[in-house]
Amino acid sequence: MEHADVVIVGAGIIGLTLARELLPTGASVLVIEKEDAAGLHASGRNSGVLHAGIYYAPGTARAATCLAGNRLMRAYCKERGLPLLESGKVIVASDLAQLDILRALHRRALDAGAEVSLVDEAALRDIEPHARTVEQAIHSPLTAVVEPKAILQSLLDDLAASPRARVRFGVRVEGPAPGRALLTTTGRVEYGVLVNAAGAHADTLAHAHGLGLRYMLVPFKGLYRSLAPEAARLCRGSIYPVPDPDTPFLGVHFTRAVSGRVHLGPTAIPAFGRENYGLLGGLDAEAPKFLWQDALLLARSPVFRRVALSEPRKYLFRHFFADAARLVPELRREHVLPSSKVGIRPQLVDTRTNSLVMDFVTEEAPGQLHVLGAISPAFTCSMALAPLLAEKVQGLARAV
């Protein structure tokens, strides 16, 4: 049996940044993770882009923490000597119809305090010579790229340096136990406060505690391709399309990684497993549940219907390529190579309204904090979100 003042389930970016934030409080912290290492899922499989506060609706937690999180994580990388590419980003319009959305994004970003500017086609050529836009583009100089797994390992090192923190890998939660405790594959774990930061499995753990019952995490698969080395010159930093403002997905885009390799993607294809990275790999007994929920959303949610009817075609190369070539007309089919990079984005759905939830959600009970829907830009936001979550944890601890 193990015990800690705070037990955090999940060693992803939310769990580890929160654990680090709690160290100065004097609380003992135990992080348990079902995998044998950190970063095997969303936190280690994302694009590595640090977003800069452009997309998120005012008043949301994502808007409140994105820009601050960007600055904190860039500073952390510089302090620790971690890979950081401060290459900036452009958002380009493919046609005149997208200009109103582009300009609305620019106004929203300025209102959020982001450092962005509208540039004309000539200025865009100076920033990204091979990108194409219609009349105007957004330039975001604060957008940067990191190596997610290097950051996760650095956070683990921070925790390992503290006598009050422990991280246990290979420990899977099986459910609640009597009292303030969890039953795990390695025995009973007792807590003063439980934090559910289980990522794609967070709704399952919340439901087991009778919380978050109106919410369900529905997986979307993000497939990537990459540019051939001789074509990497086509992208200096990041080149994004104007997104559909009603969805949480940003479309196929170009991102130069800290390694210098340029990735294209991701898609946002409905998946049928929380870890369905392959065509059939990762499918389990939950597949019918996800299929049913997708069918309900297809029938009742116009936003989901747009995604579900447009994204699966990107399994086919010609459709994926067409989306990418709208951003960079010089792109040729032979420039685009297969990639093993793939991720799963667990999208929170409100099953009462059959709508996609566009923000972070937390649910509380005595001695429990459940973090649901920590979707993009959660990696960027994490270091600014952690103090807010730590404050909730401390409040729950005082209430004991």
Side-chain angles (χ1 to χ4, degrees):
M1 184 180 70
E2 291 199 74
H3 175 274
D5 296 327
V6 182
V7 172
I8 300 173
V9 179
I13 193 65
I14 299 298
L16 294 182
T17 52
L18 174 58
R20 177 175 172 267
E21 189 69 28
L22 289 169
L23 293 181
T25 68
S28 61
V29 180
L30 170 64
V31 181
I32 58 176
E33 165 61 49
K34 71 181 180 69
E35 303 293 356
D36 293 328
L40 298 188
H41 301 295
S43 292
R45 290 174 173 264
N46 63 75
S47 64
V49 172
L50 296 185
H51 295 281
I54 295 174
Y55 302 102
Y56 314 111
T60 62
R62 295 198 298 173
T65 56
C66 182
L67 191 56
N70 171 299
R71 290 174 172 143
L72 288 167
M73 193 164 282
R74 283 191 292 117
Y76 182 80
C77 288
K78 291 175 182 178
E79 176 189 334
R80 303 304 170 91
L82 302 176
L84 174 67
L85 186 61
E86 296 182 285
S87 51
K89 160 176 154 178
V90 295
I91 302 174
V92 299
S94 297
D95 53 52
L96 285 170
Q98 293 187 339
L99 282 177
D100 286 344
I101 302 173
L102 183 85
R103 291 164 181 159
L105 277 177
H106 178 247
R107 290 192 297 271
R108 174 181 285 184
L110 290 177
D111 289 344
E115 184 181 327
V116 294
S117 58
L118 281 176
V119 299
D120 60 19
E121 293 173 73
L124 175 65
R125 283 193 293 273
D126 290 335
I127 301 164
E128 285 284 0
H130 304 284
R132 172 192 175 275
T133 197
V134 176
E135 293 190 11
Q136 292 180 307
I138 291 175
H139 179 221
S140 168
L142 293 185
T143 299
V145 182
V146 297
E147 174 46 64
K149 288 188 177 180
I151 291 172
L152 294 172
Q153 184 57 56
S154 183
L155 291 168
L156 287 170
D157 292 343
D158 293 343
L159 297 178
S162 170
R164 294 190 300 275
R166 292 167 288 154
V167 181
R168 298 283 187 263
F169 290 104
V171 180
R172 183 183 294 269
V173 175
E174 296 183 328
R180 293 198 174 190
L182 295 170
L183 181 62
T184 78
T185 49
T186 59
R188 181 181 169 94
V189 175
E190 295 185 341
Y191 57 80
V193 177
L194 167 67
V195 179
N196 171 8
H201 298 270
D203 59 336
T204 301
L205 184 55
H207 295 171
H209 287 86
L211 296 172
L213 299 178
R214 69 181 295 170
Y215 298 111
M216 176 180 175
L217 285 163
V218 175
F220 285 79
K221 186 179 302 185
L223 301 175
Y224 291 82
R225 298 179 187 268
S226 62
L227 286 187
E230 65 272 16
R233 62 180 177 79
L234 296 176
C235 175
R236 289 178 173 176
S238 293
I239 305 171
Y240 279 61
V242 173
D244 180 339
D246 294 325
T247 78
F249 308 114
L250 301 181
V252 169
H253 49 268
F254 291 68
T255 301
R256 179 176 288 274
V258 293
S259 65
R261 190 164 195 178
V262 177
H263 298 292
L264 280 69
T267 61
I269 299 168
F272 302 112
R274 299 174 195 266
E275 298 169 17
N276 178 209
Y277 298 116
L279 188 62
L280 298 177
L283 296 182
D284 56 26
E286 287 193 293
K289 178 179 73 173
F290 291 128
L291 184 62
W292 174 247
Q293 185 60 50
D294 286 349
L296 289 176
L297 290 169
L298 190 66
R300 300 175 182 176
S301 169
V303 172
F304 179 86
R305 190 155 54 244
R306 284 207 303 277
V307 173
L309 295 179
S310 63
E311 287 290 321
R313 66 191 178 91
K314 295 175 189 175
Y315 266 120
L316 301 176
F317 178 84
R318 68 177 184 274
H319 293 296
F320 187 102
F321 175 81
D323 276 13
R326 290 188 187 98
L327 311 181
V328 177
E330 292 178 50
L331 188 69
R332 299 292 176 262
R333 297 174 71 88
E334 59 269 22
H335 293 157
V336 182
L337 303 179
S339 173
S340 60
K341 186 176 177 64
V342 59
I344 293 288
R345 176 188 177 124
Q347 173 60 47
L348 194 65
V349 169
D350 186 328
T351 59
R352 294 183 188 174
T353 60
N354 286 293
S355 60
L356 306 184
V357 179
M358 302 285 277
D359 201 9
F360 309 142
V361 173
T362 60
E363 293 245 342
E364 296 179 35
Q368 298 176 32
L369 174 64
H370 297 264
V371 184
L372 303 172
I375 56 172
S376 179
F379 198 99
T380 301
C381 296
S382 58
M383 289 188 175
L385 186 60
L388 304 179
L389 296 176
E391 186 176 343
K392 291 177 182 288
V393 170
Q394 289 176 281
L396 290 166
R398 287 192 295 268
V400 174

